[in-house]
């Protein structure tokens, strides 16, 4: 199960991504926004990311105007590794190396066709593990207040 969410700026792209998920038979839960009426991205970020942390959802896909504000909010949720991506390489390597569990997209930056390519590679790429696991653990250590140096 994928959690998907947006603010008003991300709403149209979120709807396009949902069509792609439907075509691929990928189950998702949409936490809103449900229209292009102005709303706050942090609310959708927290709703979607809570579902990932609780285990209800495997990953989250979030969309705002730039992908940046919603990624900042998502990364405040303990256990979330959110990546704001606007290119294929980033969307792939944030899975391979960072085990990102949340993809953030900017509807005012990335067109629907490219965004769907990013979603596709993000959802289909496995974490490489190995030396990257140590670095993921260090991110969690920072989250838990541990000094790394
Ligand atoms: C909304 O106008 C816009 O600020 C928001 O979607 C996002 O781009 C913030 O980072």
């Amino acid at each position: 199960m994928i959690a998907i969410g947006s603010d008003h700026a991300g709403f149209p792209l979120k709807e396009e991504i949902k069509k792609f998920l439907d075509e691929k038979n990928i189950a998702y839960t949409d936490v809103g926004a449900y229209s292009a009426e102005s709303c706050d991205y942090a609310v959708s970020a927290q709703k979607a990311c809570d579902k990932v942390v609780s285990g209800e959802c495997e990953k989250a896909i979030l969309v705002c105007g730039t992908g940046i504000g919603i990624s900042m909010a998502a990364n405040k949720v303990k256990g979330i590794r959110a990546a704001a991506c606007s290119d294929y390489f980033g969307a792939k390597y944030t899975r391979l190396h960072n085990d990102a569990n949340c993809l953030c997209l900017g509807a005012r930056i990335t067109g629907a066709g490219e965004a769907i390519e990013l979603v596709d590679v993000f959802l289909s790429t496995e974490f490489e593990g190995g030396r990257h696991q140590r670095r993921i653990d260090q991110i969690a250590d920072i989250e838990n207040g541990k000094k790394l140096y």
Side-chain angles (χ1 to χ4, degrees), residues 77-99:
V77 178
K78 194 170 177 178
I80 292 297
R81 290 178 301 280
C85 296
S86 57
D87 61 78
Y88 188 90
F89 188 89
K92 181 174 178 176
Y93 273 79
T94 200
R95 287 289 311 129
L96 287 171
H97 287 189
N98 313 132
D99 198 17

Side-chain angles (χ1 to χ4, degrees), residues 5-7 41 44-45 62-64 67-75 104-105:
S6 73
D7 69 355
Y41 53 77
S44 295
L62 295 172
V63 194
C64 69
I68 296 170
I70 209 159
S71 71
M72 289 179 172
N75 275 315
C104 301
L105 299 166

Side-chain angles (χ1 to χ4, degrees), residues 48-68:
C49 291
D50 281 353
K51 289 183 185 296
V52 174
V53 171
S54 72
E56 183 185 335
C57 293
E58 186 192 322
K59 294 187 184 84
I61 297 168
L62 295 172
V63 194
C64 69
T66 58
I68 296 170

